Each structure stands twice: as C-alpha cells, then as structure tokens.
Amino acid sequence: MYPPIHQCHNGHTLCSTCKTRVHNRCPTCRQELGDIRCLALEKVAESLELPCKYYSLGCTEIFPYYSKLKHEALCNYRPYSCPYAGSECSAVGDIPFLVAHLRDDHKVDMHTGCTFNHRYVKSNPREVENATWMLTVFHCFGQYFCLHFEAFQLGMAPVYMAFLRFMGDENDARTYSYSLEVGGYGRKLIWEGTPRSIRDSHRKVRDSHDGLIIQRNMALFFSGGDRKELKLRVTGRIWKEQNPDAGVCIPNLCS
C-alpha cells in the first residue's frame, strides 16, 4: 500500500488506488469507505525501507517507503523499450535481451565497427509514406548503437532523416559523438551530434529533428538530378569523447 491509505468503519484498510477500483466499497465487508485515513498505518509506512523493484536487474539501492516509487521511475536499471520503430513493439528488457530481440525477431542488420556506409534507394521519390524507414545496429566500443534512416512527410513535401540512438542511458550516451555525411556532384551535407538514448522514443527524436535532415530537392540533386530515382549514400562514424584509446573500433563498410 502507498499513501494515502484508507480504512472503512470496520477497520479494513486499502490504498487510494484500490479504493478507486472498488468504487468506494470495502472489498472485505462491503461497507462504504468514505474518506477515513488510516494514519497509524501511514506512520508505519514512513519507517520502512525497501529495495528497488529492479534489484533482480542489478539495482542494489534501498529506499524509504515514500521515495521508492520516485526512484523506480528513473532507475538506471529499469528495462528499456524496444527501439524498433516499424511497429508498436511492446518488448522490454535489458540491452543484451533487446539486441537479441532485434536480431532474431525483427531481423535487423547487425554490424561491427564505428564507421558505416549506408545506401538508400527508392524507385519513386515522390511516393513517401510516413513510416518508410530503415534500422541498422552497430557494435563498437563495447556498446550498441541504432542508426535510423527514414523518409516522412514534412508539410507538403517529403524529407529524409538519419540519426543515431545509443542503447543505454542518457549519461552514457553523452560520452559519444557521431557524424553523418551525404553528398554528390560537388555538394555535401554534414551533421555532427551526440546520440540520443533509447530512453527517448524514436518519434520524440525524429520530431525534434535532432539529426541529419535532407530536403527532397537536395536529395534528388545528390541522386543525379534526373528526379527519377532516389540514390542516397550516407556515411558516418562514431567516436568516444573521453578515453579515446579505450575499446576496439574496427572500420566496417556495409550497404
């Protein structure tokens, strides 16, 4: 039970969440509950210390009863949601579980290395649906990163966007940086930034425009200018801001 804790006239107790669910009727004696607080039980609750509910995932913290829920909402050991953007996937778990889940259930391409060469081809660049996207997972510096590339409608015309998300918490994500580059015919667009944590949803990152954005006219120019087919090649790399000698980074090209 979490305060406020209520009791009926016969002394049966229940928490405020359950009170709403039982329509203000005591589930034990069926008497109307009213608004009687059980202050004695709330006082007992104040003296309790409990482990985080994510202790089985590695959290060893012990918290006073009243601050336990607040901590659990922000606990670094709480499960991550699946970063796959193509469906409303409800899978949650730690990073090793999600990596296996992306590989086995979503058939996502997995690559080792911190450089990449991503090719995107579309036969009719005028037909862009809101969920046209691709996802690739990269493993470098002992961590996993999700490279998103997608087309979506912005106003009256489609745009193309590439961005990187870090499979871990925000504080760790800040220790890495990445660059993306696209170009052709003597023109070039370059983006440098910090990968966002997968704690931030795919839609949140996309809608904040935190990545490399290519307008359709420029994308067609990069593709050759004939406006018949979209051919974009996005190259990039990931690096660690602190302790640059730590970890192993094997260059890898993939298409």
Side-chain angles (χ1 to χ4, degrees):
M1 295 184 186
Y2 284 92
I5 299 173
H6 297 271
Q7 67 179 28
C8 72
H9 291 281
N10 294 323
H12 303 125
T13 59
L14 75 168
C15 67
S16 56
T17 302
C18 290
K19 181 185 177 186
T20 303
R21 291 168 55 192
V22 300
H23 305 293
N24 207 38
R25 292 277 177 182
C26 176
T28 303
C29 66
R30 306 301 176 187
Q31 294 294 314
E32 186 173 348
L33 287 170
D35 290 312
I36 305 173
R37 294 274 293 275
C38 184
L39 300 180
L41 200 55
E42 290 184 10
K43 197 69 175 177
V44 172
E46 289 181 1
S47 66
L48 294 178
E49 291 188 341
L50 300 171
C52 172
K53 72 177 181 180
Y54 301 122
Y55 69 91
S56 62
L57 299 178
C59 185
T60 59
E61 299 289 340
I62 304 292
F63 295 92
Y65 196 82
Y66 281 92
S67 61
K68 180 175 181 289
L69 289 180
K70 184 177 180 180
H71 160 79
E72 289 172 350
L74 301 173
C75 179
N76 288 338
Y77 291 92
R78 70 191 189 277
Y80 296 89
S81 297
C82 174
Y84 193 76
S87 64
E88 297 297 327
C89 183
S90 59
V92 296
D94 59 13
I95 299 304
F97 167 82
L98 288 182
V99 170
H101 168 70
L102 289 171
R103 182 189 63 235
D104 300 335
D105 297 332
H106 295 300
K107 310 303 180 185
V108 170
D109 287 337
M110 302 279 175
H111 298 278
T112 299
C114 59
T115 64
F116 46 86
N117 191 333
H118 182 91
R119 191 166 180 262
Y120 182 82
V121 178
K122 189 171 180 63
S123 58
N124 189 347
R126 294 185 178 276
E127 295 180 3
V128 178
E129 298 177 357
N130 227 22
T132 304
W133 57 273
M134 297 176 69
L135 172 64
T136 307
V137 173
F138 292 91
H139 181 240
C140 67
F141 300 111
Q143 306 290 343
Y144 290 91
F145 300 83
C146 296
L147 174 65
H148 296 267
F149 185 89
E150 67 176 283
F152 61 96
Q153 204 76 19
L154 186 63
M156 298 298 292
V159 297
Y160 307 93
M161 183 175 180
F163 58 90
L164 197 73
R165 288 202 291 166
F166 174 74
M167 295 188 70
D169 281 309
E170 182 179 356
N171 288 339
D172 293 328
R174 292 196 190 106
T175 65
Y176 297 91
S177 294
Y178 74 102
S179 65
L180 297 172
E181 181 179 311
V182 62
Y185 296 90
R187 307 292 190 276
K188 183 186 297 185
L189 286 176
I190 299 176
W191 163 268
E192 284 194 5
T194 301
R196 297 279 285 271
S197 165
I198 59 171
R199 296 286 190 203
D200 290 337
S201 70
H202 163 270
R203 181 175 293 274
K204 179 179 180 180
V205 179
R206 189 197 76 178
D207 291 349
S208 68
H209 299 171
D210 191 5
L212 175 67
I213 297 179
I214 312 159
Q215 302 294 333
R216 182 176 64 177
N217 287 339
M218 185 60 71
L220 292 173
F221 184 85
F222 290 155
S223 302
D226 57 11
R227 311 183 77 85
K228 294 181 179 180
E229 188 177 42
L230 187 77
K231 295 180 180 179
L232 291 177
R233 185 177 297 277
V234 180
T235 62
R237 69 183 184 96
I238 306 166
W239 66 91
K240 193 170 175 61
E241 291 291 352
Q242 299 175 358
N243 299 324
D245 296 329
V248 177
C249 179
I250 304 173
N252 178 71
L253 297 180
C254 60
S255 61

